[in-house]
Amino acid sequence: GMVRNVVEVEKSLADINVVMGLSAKNLDQFSDGLFKVAKETGQAFKVAADAATEYARQGLGVEESLKRTRDALVLTRLTGMDSAEAVKALTAAMNTYGSQIKDTTQLVSKFAAVDVQFAVSAEDFADSISRTGQAAKSAGVDINELVGIVTSAQQQTARGGKVIGNALKTIFTRLGTANTLNELENIGV
């Protein structure tokens, strides 16, 4: 079993290094950081390595990959999402609202804070924002407003983040069409 684990660790690091192209010294430092992230978040090394590989594929450097990996694994612990879903959700939110959010740590903290105060899970936020983020941003909705809208919809409807995200995406997309805007202007809205 121990030999199998060593082989798995080496394979995971080799996969990461194919993408990052690190020197042996830098790969050792990255490996140490990845083991630390896995330990801090209570996740298996394989889970941490999978998340780190995805961030490395996005072209992020060593430090940013480790930071975002930690945040994705924290989100995984908070929500029960798998690490790939957490990486996808954080990436979507950062790609859409990166100018409004300092980093993924701030985003996860925002999700957790609302999760504690309202009957909305961090997973619902992650799911809804990854589905509707771009449409919301195009409609002029900032990240805080979107979190508020999702919170309100979740509390009133008890629907999940995926359903809410899809519904909001449809609403925001339709609001942006000229025909809809003309109809709203005609009725005095």
Side-chain angles (χ1 to χ4, degrees):
M2 191 163 114
V3 171
R4 195 175 354 193
N5 286 341
V6 169
V7 169
E8 187 175 295
V9 166
E10 290 298 322
K11 182 189 178 310
S12 295
L13 290 173
D15 290 345
I16 290 169
N17 202 31
V18 164
V19 177
M20 295 185 96
L22 301 172
S23 68
K25 180 182 175 185
N26 288 341
L27 184 60
D28 284 344
Q29 290 174 342
F30 185 79
S31 171
D32 291 344
L34 199 52
F35 274 109
K36 183 179 176 186
V37 165
K39 182 180 177 185
E40 287 174 353
T41 59
Q43 298 287 341
F45 180 82
K46 175 73 172 135
V47 173
D50 289 346
T53 302
E54 288 305 312
Y55 282 124
R57 284 188 181 123
Q58 295 174 19
L60 300 176
V62 171
E63 286 183 37
E64 190 64 21
S65 291
L66 288 173
K67 181 179 182 184
R68 288 190 185 194
T69 296
R70 181 181 52 78
D71 294 337
L73 296 181
V74 167
L75 185 60
T76 297
R77 294 286 293 194
L78 285 172
T79 64
M81 300 169 81
D82 70 22
S83 64
E85 290 173 345
V87 167
K88 180 182 171 188
L90 290 176
T91 299
M94 290 304 294
N95 287 346
T96 304
Y97 287 108
S99 62
Q100 296 176 20
I101 304 168
K102 182 177 131 187
D103 56 20
T104 53
T105 303
Q106 183 185 27
L107 184 63
V108 171
S109 295
K110 187 179 295 283
F111 289 170
V114 177
D115 186 338
V116 169
Q117 293 183 5
F118 300 96
V120 183
S121 74
E123 182 175 9
D124 287 326
F125 286 123
D127 285 340
S128 63
I129 289 173
S130 68
R131 290 172 186 263
T132 192
Q134 192 58 50
K137 185 176 180 187
S138 295
V141 177
D142 72 24
I143 185 69
N144 293 324
E145 292 168 334
L146 185 55
V147 168
I149 292 167
V150 171
T151 300
S152 179
Q154 172 70 25
Q155 287 190 306
Q156 294 300 313
T157 66
R159 299 295 230 169
K162 292 175 183 176
V163 172
I164 291 169
N166 286 335
L168 290 173
K169 182 170 81 175
T170 300
I171 291 167
F172 292 136
T173 302
R174 288 186 181 164
L175 281 175
T177 64
N179 189 30
T180 303
L181 294 174
N182 289 336
E183 287 180 32
L184 289 172
E185 284 178 6
N186 289 338
I187 61 171
V189 177

